[in-house]
mmCIF file of all heavy atoms in Angstrom:
data_model
loop_
_atom_site.group_PDB
_atom_site.id
_atom_site.type_symbol
_atom_site.label_atom_id
_atom_site.label_comp_id
_atom_site.label_asym_id
_atom_site.label_seq_id
_atom_site.Cartn_x
_atom_site.Cartn_y
_atom_site.Cartn_z
ATOM 1 N N ASN I 1 -124.840 57.591 -62.336
ATOM 2 C CA ASN I 1 -123.917 57.628 -63.466
ATOM 3 C C ASN I 1 -123.310 56.233 -63.549
ATOM 4 O O ASN I 1 -122.728 55.760 -62.624
ATOM 5 C CB ASN I 1 -122.837 58.695 -63.260
ATOM 6 C CG ASN I 1 -121.809 58.711 -64.410
ATOM 7 O OD1 ASN I 1 -120.936 57.847 -64.463
ATOM 8 N ND2 ASN I 1 -121.947 59.685 -65.257
ATOM 9 N N ASN I 2 -123.522 55.586 -64.716
ATOM 10 C CA ASN I 2 -123.065 54.181 -64.826
ATOM 11 C C ASN I 2 -121.570 54.027 -64.902
ATOM 12 O O ASN I 2 -121.121 52.904 -64.876
ATOM 13 C CB ASN I 2 -123.777 53.639 -66.132
ATOM 14 C CG ASN I 2 -125.287 53.583 -66.035
ATOM 15 O OD1 ASN I 2 -125.847 53.657 -64.911
ATOM 16 N ND2 ASN I 2 -125.927 53.533 -67.128
ATOM 17 N N THR I 3 -120.815 55.090 -65.036
ATOM 18 C CA THR I 3 -119.391 54.970 -65.093
ATOM 19 C C THR I 3 -118.725 55.260 -63.775
ATOM 20 O O THR I 3 -117.487 55.407 -63.664
ATOM 21 C CB THR I 3 -118.828 55.934 -66.161
ATOM 22 O OG1 THR I 3 -119.081 57.326 -65.774
ATOM 23 C CG2 THR I 3 -119.449 55.698 -67.562
ATOM 24 N N GLY I 4 -119.516 55.420 -62.672
ATOM 25 C CA GLY I 4 -118.976 55.686 -61.407
ATOM 26 C C GLY I 4 -118.713 57.133 -61.073
ATOM 27 O O GLY I 4 -118.211 57.447 -59.972
ATOM 28 N N LYS I 5 -119.089 58.058 -61.994
ATOM 29 C CA LYS I 5 -118.841 59.447 -61.769
ATOM 30 C C LYS I 5 -120.085 60.129 -61.304
ATOM 31 O O LYS I 5 -120.731 60.897 -61.986
ATOM 32 C CB LYS I 5 -118.325 60.140 -63.018
ATOM 33 C CG LYS I 5 -117.473 61.385 -62.836
ATOM 34 C CD LYS I 5 -116.779 61.755 -64.121
ATOM 35 C CE LYS I 5 -115.722 62.810 -63.815
ATOM 36 N NZ LYS I 5 -114.960 63.208 -65.064
ATOM 37 N N ASN I 6 -120.526 59.780 -60.094
ATOM 38 C CA ASN I 6 -121.805 60.263 -59.571
ATOM 39 C C ASN I 6 -121.714 61.741 -59.202
ATOM 40 O O ASN I 6 -120.673 62.198 -58.743
ATOM 41 C CB ASN I 6 -122.226 59.506 -58.337
ATOM 42 C CG ASN I 6 -122.459 58.018 -58.648
ATOM 43 O OD1 ASN I 6 -122.942 57.668 -59.696
ATOM 44 N ND2 ASN I 6 -122.179 57.123 -57.702
ATOM 45 N N VAL I 7 -122.751 62.481 -59.474
ATOM 46 C CA VAL I 7 -122.917 63.846 -58.957
ATOM 47 C C VAL I 7 -123.646 63.743 -57.631
ATOM 48 O O VAL I 7 -124.750 63.382 -57.498
ATOM 49 C CB VAL I 7 -123.720 64.728 -59.965
ATOM 50 C CG1 VAL I 7 -123.889 66.108 -59.388
ATOM 51 C CG2 VAL I 7 -123.036 64.773 -61.281
ATOM 52 N N GLU I 8 -122.839 64.095 -56.586
ATOM 53 C CA GLU I 8 -123.354 63.983 -55.204
ATOM 54 C C GLU I 8 -123.594 65.413 -54.661
ATOM 55 O O GLU I 8 -122.663 66.199 -54.528
ATOM 56 C CB GLU I 8 -122.386 63.203 -54.315
ATOM 57 C CG GLU I 8 -122.143 61.778 -54.834
ATOM 58 C CD GLU I 8 -121.772 60.835 -53.746
ATOM 59 O OE1 GLU I 8 -121.146 61.239 -52.772
ATOM 60 O OE2 GLU I 8 -122.201 59.616 -53.861
ATOM 61 N N LEU I 9 -124.853 65.704 -54.355
ATOM 62 C CA LEU I 9 -125.269 66.973 -53.814
ATOM 63 C C LEU I 9 -125.531 66.789 -52.333
ATOM 64 O O LEU I 9 -126.496 66.141 -51.971
ATOM 65 C CB LEU I 9 -126.472 67.540 -54.554
ATOM 66 C CG LEU I 9 -126.391 67.562 -56.067
ATOM 67 C CD1 LEU I 9 -127.705 68.018 -56.721
ATOM 68 C CD2 LEU I 9 -125.268 68.465 -56.568
ATOM 69 N N LYS I 10 -124.756 67.526 -51.507
ATOM 70 C CA LYS I 10 -124.914 67.417 -50.045
ATOM 71 C C LYS I 10 -125.318 68.710 -49.501
ATOM 72 O O LYS I 10 -124.737 69.791 -49.809
ATOM 73 C CB LYS I 10 -123.582 66.954 -49.411
ATOM 74 C CG LYS I 10 -123.702 66.713 -47.901
ATOM 75 C CD LYS I 10 -122.359 66.200 -47.269
ATOM 76 C CE LYS I 10 -122.134 64.762 -47.627
ATOM 77 N NZ LYS I 10 -120.948 64.216 -46.886
ATOM 78 N N PHE I 11 -126.372 68.709 -48.728
ATOM 79 C CA PHE I 11 -126.924 69.948 -48.084
ATOM 80 C C PHE I 11 -126.707 69.865 -46.567
ATOM 81 O O PHE I 11 -127.279 69.060 -45.865
ATOM 82 C CB PHE I 11 -128.422 69.981 -48.383
ATOM 83 C CG PHE I 11 -128.657 69.963 -49.882
ATOM 84 C CD1 PHE I 11 -128.824 68.742 -50.554
ATOM 85 C CD2 PHE I 11 -128.640 71.109 -50.661
ATOM 86 C CE1 PHE I 11 -129.037 68.643 -51.903
ATOM 87 C CE2 PHE I 11 -128.859 71.038 -52.078
ATOM 88 C CZ PHE I 11 -129.021 69.835 -52.653
ATOM 89 N N VAL I 12 -125.821 70.764 -46.050
ATOM 90 C CA VAL I 12 -125.301 70.622 -44.766
ATOM 91 C C VAL I 12 -125.670 71.829 -43.893
ATOM 92 O O VAL I 12 -125.325 72.944 -44.162
ATOM 93 C CB VAL I 12 -123.735 70.535 -44.769
ATOM 94 C CG1 VAL I 12 -123.205 70.475 -43.336
ATOM 95 C CG2 VAL I 12 -123.286 69.315 -45.552
ATOM 96 N N ASN I 13 -126.454 71.475 -42.819
ATOM 97 C CA ASN I 13 -126.782 72.466 -41.795
ATOM 98 C C ASN I 13 -125.671 72.392 -40.784
ATOM 99 O O ASN I 13 -125.102 73.418 -40.368
ATOM 100 C CB ASN I 13 -128.128 72.137 -41.190
ATOM 101 C CG ASN I 13 -128.483 73.150 -40.131
ATOM 102 O OD1 ASN I 13 -129.296 74.062 -40.392
ATOM 103 N ND2 ASN I 13 -128.059 73.022 -38.918
ATOM 104 N N SER I 14 -125.350 71.185 -40.378
ATOM 105 C CA SER I 14 -124.208 70.960 -39.429
ATOM 106 C C SER I 14 -123.599 69.559 -39.634
ATOM 107 O O SER I 14 -124.388 68.615 -39.956
ATOM 108 C CB SER I 14 -124.645 71.088 -37.967
ATOM 109 O OG SER I 14 -125.726 70.164 -37.678
ATOM 110 N N LEU I 15 -122.323 69.423 -39.534
ATOM 111 C CA LEU I 15 -121.621 68.170 -39.751
ATOM 112 C C LEU I 15 -120.303 68.191 -38.990
ATOM 113 O O LEU I 15 -119.407 68.955 -39.268
ATOM 114 C CB LEU I 15 -121.347 67.974 -41.287
ATOM 115 C CG LEU I 15 -120.666 66.660 -41.672
ATOM 116 C CD1 LEU I 15 -121.485 65.471 -41.191
ATOM 117 C CD2 LEU I 15 -120.438 66.624 -43.204
ATOM 118 N N ARG I 16 -120.289 67.370 -37.924
ATOM 119 C CA ARG I 16 -119.181 67.422 -37.002
ATOM 120 C C ARG I 16 -117.851 67.087 -37.651
ATOM 121 O O ARG I 16 -116.797 67.783 -37.486
ATOM 122 C CB ARG I 16 -119.385 66.495 -35.804
ATOM 123 C CG ARG I 16 -118.280 66.499 -34.768
ATOM 124 C CD ARG I 16 -118.576 65.690 -33.570
ATOM 125 N NE ARG I 16 -118.873 64.317 -33.909
ATOM 126 C CZ ARG I 16 -119.060 63.347 -32.992
ATOM 127 N NH1 ARG I 16 -118.990 63.668 -31.678
ATOM 128 N NH2 ARG I 16 -119.266 62.099 -33.360
ATOM 129 N N ARG I 17 -117.867 66.076 -38.526
ATOM 130 C CA ARG I 17 -116.652 65.594 -39.172
ATOM 131 C C ARG I 17 -116.808 65.697 -40.663
ATOM 132 O O ARG I 17 -117.562 64.973 -41.234
ATOM 133 C CB ARG I 17 -116.367 64.131 -38.796
ATOM 134 C CG ARG I 17 -115.118 63.548 -39.405
ATOM 135 C CD ARG I 17 -113.911 63.879 -38.510
ATOM 136 N NE ARG I 17 -112.664 63.344 -39.126
ATOM 137 C CZ ARG I 17 -111.530 63.258 -38.492
ATOM 138 N NH1 ARG I 17 -111.454 63.704 -37.253
ATOM 139 N NH2 ARG I 17 -110.437 62.781 -39.055
ATOM 140 N N GLN I 18 -116.050 66.558 -41.311
ATOM 141 C CA GLN I 18 -116.213 66.838 -42.708
ATOM 142 C C GLN I 18 -115.063 66.300 -43.601
ATOM 143 O O GLN I 18 -114.983 66.531 -44.771
ATOM 144 C CB GLN I 18 -116.361 68.328 -43.013
ATOM 145 C CG GLN I 18 -117.590 68.916 -42.347
ATOM 146 C CD GLN I 18 -117.930 70.301 -42.961
ATOM 147 O OE1 GLN I 18 -117.955 70.437 -44.166
ATOM 148 N NE2 GLN I 18 -118.243 71.248 -42.070
ATOM 149 N N PHE I 19 -114.143 65.502 -42.955
ATOM 150 C CA PHE I 19 -113.071 64.861 -43.688
ATOM 151 C C PHE I 19 -112.571 63.678 -42.961
ATOM 152 O O PHE I 19 -112.880 63.518 -41.714
ATOM 153 C CB PHE I 19 -111.896 65.880 -43.891
ATOM 154 C CG PHE I 19 -111.134 66.157 -42.580
ATOM 155 C CD1 PHE I 19 -109.937 65.523 -42.329
ATOM 156 C CD2 PHE I 19 -111.611 67.001 -41.605
ATOM 157 C CE1 PHE I 19 -109.251 65.687 -41.161
ATOM 158 C CE2 PHE I 19 -110.959 67.197 -40.419
ATOM 159 C CZ PHE I 19 -109.774 66.568 -40.170
ATOM 160 N N GLU I 20 -111.868 62.835 -43.622
ATOM 161 C CA GLU I 20 -111.259 61.665 -43.003
ATOM 162 C C GLU I 20 -109.729 61.826 -42.862
ATOM 163 O O GLU I 20 -109.175 61.646 -41.797
ATOM 164 C CB GLU I 20 -111.570 60.384 -43.812
ATOM 165 C CG GLU I 20 -112.991 60.010 -43.718
ATOM 166 C CD GLU I 20 -113.465 58.970 -44.680
ATOM 167 O OE1 GLU I 20 -112.948 58.991 -45.828
ATOM 168 O OE2 GLU I 20 -114.363 58.181 -44.363
ATOM 169 N N PHE I 21 -109.093 62.276 -43.977
ATOM 170 C CA PHE I 21 -107.679 62.475 -43.975
ATOM 171 C C PHE I 21 -107.373 63.842 -44.562
ATOM 172 O O PHE I 21 -108.207 64.427 -45.214
ATOM 173 C CB PHE I 21 -107.000 61.370 -44.777
ATOM 174 C CG PHE I 21 -107.344 60.011 -44.337
ATOM 175 C CD1 PHE I 21 -108.305 59.241 -45.016
ATOM 176 C CD2 PHE I 21 -106.737 59.473 -43.170
ATOM 177 C CE1 PHE I 21 -108.647 58.026 -44.591
ATOM 178 C CE2 PHE I 21 -107.141 58.194 -42.777
ATOM 179 C CZ PHE I 21 -108.108 57.441 -43.472
ATOM 180 N N SER I 22 -106.172 64.383 -44.242
ATOM 181 C CA SER I 22 -105.839 65.743 -44.649
ATOM 182 C C SER I 22 -105.910 65.942 -46.152
ATOM 183 O O SER I 22 -106.314 66.953 -46.633
ATOM 184 C CB SER I 22 -104.436 66.085 -44.151
ATOM 185 O OG SER I 22 -103.463 65.232 -44.701
ATOM 186 N N VAL I 23 -105.593 64.882 -46.916
ATOM 187 C CA VAL I 23 -105.570 64.977 -48.362
ATOM 188 C C VAL I 23 -106.973 65.047 -48.964
ATOM 189 O O VAL I 23 -107.054 65.470 -50.153
ATOM 190 C CB VAL I 23 -104.793 63.838 -49.009
ATOM 191 C CG1 VAL I 23 -103.344 63.905 -48.639
ATOM 192 C CG2 VAL I 23 -105.380 62.487 -48.615
ATOM 193 N N ASP I 24 -108.017 64.761 -48.243
ATOM 194 C CA ASP I 24 -109.385 64.922 -48.773
ATOM 195 C C ASP I 24 -110.130 65.950 -47.945
ATOM 196 O O ASP I 24 -111.394 65.897 -47.910
ATOM 197 C CB ASP I 24 -110.117 63.612 -48.827
ATOM 198 C CG ASP I 24 -110.368 62.929 -47.483
ATOM 199 O OD1 ASP I 24 -110.018 63.560 -46.492
ATOM 200 O OD2 ASP I 24 -110.871 61.815 -47.455
ATOM 201 N N SER I 25 -109.412 66.812 -47.264
ATOM 202 C CA SER I 25 -110.085 67.799 -46.387
ATOM 203 C C SER I 25 -110.370 69.147 -47.092
ATOM 204 O O SER I 25 -110.920 70.051 -46.435
ATOM 205 C CB SER I 25 -109.202 68.036 -45.179
ATOM 206 O OG SER I 25 -108.010 68.805 -45.531
ATOM 207 N N PHE I 26 -110.076 69.252 -48.351
ATOM 208 C CA PHE I 26 -110.173 70.544 -49.038
ATOM 209 C C PHE I 26 -111.597 70.812 -49.553
ATOM 210 O O PHE I 26 -112.313 69.888 -50.020
ATOM 211 C CB PHE I 26 -109.225 70.609 -50.227
ATOM 212 C CG PHE I 26 -107.781 70.454 -49.836
ATOM 213 C CD1 PHE I 26 -107.056 69.321 -50.021
ATOM 214 C CD2 PHE I 26 -107.102 71.510 -49.210
ATOM 215 C CE1 PHE I 26 -105.727 69.157 -49.645
ATOM 216 C CE2 PHE I 26 -105.747 71.414 -48.855
ATOM 217 C CZ PHE I 26 -105.084 70.240 -49.050
ATOM 218 N N GLN I 27 -111.991 72.030 -49.405
ATOM 219 C CA GLN I 27 -113.243 72.512 -49.988
ATOM 220 C C GLN I 27 -113.037 73.837 -50.724
ATOM 221 O O GLN I 27 -112.368 74.734 -50.233
ATOM 222 C CB GLN I 27 -114.306 72.746 -48.908
ATOM 223 C CG GLN I 27 -114.725 71.519 -48.177
ATOM 224 C CD GLN I 27 -115.803 71.706 -47.163
ATOM 225 O OE1 GLN I 27 -116.246 72.840 -46.930
ATOM 226 N NE2 GLN I 27 -116.223 70.611 -46.475
ATOM 227 N N ILE I 28 -113.411 73.931 -51.991
ATOM 228 C CA ILE I 28 -113.244 75.090 -52.822
ATOM 229 C C ILE I 28 -114.561 75.812 -52.923
ATOM 230 O O ILE I 28 -115.584 75.298 -53.337
ATOM 231 C CB ILE I 28 -112.735 74.698 -54.256
ATOM 232 C CG1 ILE I 28 -111.422 73.961 -54.174
ATOM 233 C CG2 ILE I 28 -112.658 75.963 -55.086
ATOM 234 C CD1 ILE I 28 -110.916 73.480 -55.505
ATOM 235 N N ILE I 29 -114.549 77.114 -52.505
ATOM 236 C CA ILE I 29 -115.778 77.884 -52.412
ATOM 237 C C ILE I 29 -116.088 78.375 -53.857
ATOM 238 O O ILE I 29 -115.222 79.011 -54.458
ATOM 239 C CB ILE I 29 -115.672 79.045 -51.407
ATOM 240 C CG1 ILE I 29 -115.305 78.485 -50.028
ATOM 241 C CG2 ILE I 29 -116.938 79.878 -51.369
ATOM 242 C CD1 ILE I 29 -114.876 79.574 -49.031
#
């Protein structure tokens, strides 16, 4: 996306660290 609004699709089997800071730790199911 040329405007910086990329669609990022992540496929996770396992990932030890899923956030950096509390404010970006949210996941909406």
Side-chain angles (χ1 to χ4, degrees):
N1 179 284
N2 298 339
T3 65
K5 205 168 191 176
N6 297 327
V7 177
E8 300 207 328
L9 308 175
K10 185 179 283 187
F11 304 88
V12 177
N13 182 97
S14 58
L15 181 57
R16 179 174 59 173
R17 181 86 181 192
Q18 297 198 46
F19 72 100
E20 291 166 325
F21 306 100
S22 61
V23 294
D24 64 5
S25 71
F26 298 104
Q27 295 182 0
I28 299 174
I29 303 170

